[in-house]
Amino acid sequence: DLQVVNERLLLSGADIHQFNAVRKHLSQVKGGRLAQRMYPAQVVALLLSDVLGNEESVIASGPLAPDVSTFEDVWDTLGEFRLCEDLPDAVREHLQRGLRGEIADNPVGQDRVFERVESVVVGDNQLAARAALERAEELGFNAQMLTPMLAGEAREAALWVVEQARRARGVAGIGRGVPFCLVGGGETIVRVRGDGKGGRNQELALAAALEMAAGNDERARLVTLATDGRDGPTDAAGAFAECDSVARAAVYGVDAAEHLENNDSHSFFSALGDLIITGPTGTNVNDLVFWLSY
């Protein structure tokens, strides 16, 4: 039942805060409930963050952090994305009991269960992006940080990334004789409209490929990937795009615009051999995006 809810939320386009509010209210450990069970022990939590901004109540759905969301918030979220009627019976009954007050909401900030909890973020997206920036410099690139907070719809984020890269390339001295690299971090979302296969990084790359083709961005490559090695429900971490990606695909009878409309970025890049396949990396600190110009 939890997997069914998870899959439907993934397809809905709900953001991480909405996603976690639902998960917190379907768990005996998330949303501070682990802290309830461990009290009064002294607890030190080492957090590997997959949440932009490192909000502790969102990382891993906040098992040791206060929760401000309520059963009413959860029901509103499910209603917003028209999921209330498609819930498994056990999930619907649990949430209805919470709405009736038969199950208490998760512990809030002043609850004593958090008095002996200390949390330390040991890894996050900004750390990964900075490490990538340093590595690019070591490899001889003129490297700059694009943004540590890339978010929003993947296809819209793609247009913004390409626009910023063009501006950077136009700055005097940048990219002239020296390859340059823009590094970004964050995590976008996809509102699924079609029945294709893909993930947020592959969709971003496909939208960028169309924009790069329109602008004839030669001698440039956009690379975007999920740090855990899995982009959406696919075997790929992400993909890379160039200004001739659209034209190369057309040779095989693959239409880029149609694939984007159908959320079928995985098939598009698979046809080109331009998927990034890493396998599971064993960690998750959101996504990284690179613009390389040479």
Side-chain angles (χ1 to χ4, degrees):
D1 288 340
L2 292 175
Q3 288 177 331
V4 167
V5 174
N6 190 68
E7 290 170 359
R8 289 175 182 167
L9 282 168
L10 279 172
L11 294 174
S12 73
D15 65 31
I16 188 65
H17 298 277
Q18 294 169 315
F19 211 116
N20 278 338
V22 176
R23 291 194 290 197
K24 288 176 183 180
H25 286 79
L26 299 177
S27 171
Q28 296 185 42
V29 294
K30 300 179 187 299
R33 292 194 180 272
L34 181 60
Q36 280 183 326
R37 283 157 174 75
M38 301 184 77
Y39 181 82
Q42 180 73 45
V43 179
V44 177
L46 306 181
L47 306 181
L48 189 63
S49 174
D50 64 344
V51 175
L52 300 184
N54 296 339
E55 185 178 337
E56 292 179 17
S57 65
V58 183
I59 300 170
S61 299
L64 295 165
D67 180 23
V68 298
S69 66
T70 66
F71 279 103
E72 289 186 1
D73 295 330
V74 169
W75 197 253
D76 288 344
T77 291
L78 295 171
E80 176 184 346
F81 295 102
R82 300 179 182 179
L83 298 177
C84 292
E85 299 304 316
D86 294 329
L87 297 172
D89 291 342
V91 172
R92 184 183 298 104
E93 174 58 23
H94 176 80
L95 294 177
Q96 290 291 337
R97 289 182 62 203
L99 290 171
R100 294 192 298 265
E102 297 172 14
I103 302 174
D105 272 312
N106 295 331
V108 295
Q110 301 305 314
D111 198 299
R112 65 177 184 176
V113 301
F114 302 114
E115 293 175 356
R116 299 175 63 80
V117 175
E118 178 184 358
S119 297
V120 181
V121 175
V122 296
D124 63 3
N125 186 257
Q126 291 194 39
L127 180 64
R130 288 197 302 271
L133 190 71
E134 292 173 3
R135 181 59 177 151
E137 291 173 344
E138 292 174 359
L139 292 171
F141 285 92
N142 179 342
Q144 297 183 10
M145 184 65 72
L146 175 63
T147 176
M149 296 292 285
L150 188 66
E153 279 266 9
R155 59 182 69 185
E156 295 175 4
L159 302 183
W160 183 85
V161 169
V162 174
E163 178 186 1
Q164 297 304 308
R166 288 169 177 164
R167 289 181 179 179
R169 187 171 53 188
V171 174
I174 294 182
R176 297 183 180 179
V178 178
F180 86 99
C181 173
L182 294 178
V183 180
E187 186 168 300
T188 60
I189 62 171
V190 173
R191 293 192 184 275
V192 178
R193 303 167 178 85
D195 59 3
K197 184 179 181 181
R200 59 189 181 271
N201 287 280
Q202 293 161 80
E203 178 137 333
L204 191 156
L206 179 50
L210 284 160
E211 179 63 17
M212 293 170 75
N216 195 29
D217 291 289
E218 296 181 341
R219 300 179 64 80
R221 172 178 290 177
L222 181 139
V223 182
T224 180
L225 68 152
T227 56
D228 63 358
R230 182 173 181 180
D231 183 34
T234 75
D235 60 348
F240 65 84
E242 298 172 322
C243 72
D244 67 347
S245 296
V246 173
R248 286 193 292 120
V251 173
Y252 300 104
V254 177
D255 186 281
E258 289 181 2
H259 277 68
L260 181 61
E261 184 64 24
N262 196 36
N263 301 116
D264 199 16
S265 52
H266 187 273
S267 297
F268 178 86
F269 287 110
S270 180
L272 294 179
D274 290 348
L275 291 169
I276 299 172
I277 308 289
T278 64
T281 64
T283 191
N284 181 10
V285 288
N286 303 108
D287 302 334
L288 294 173
V289 60
F290 305 90
W291 175 279
L292 309 172
S293 185
Y294 32 85

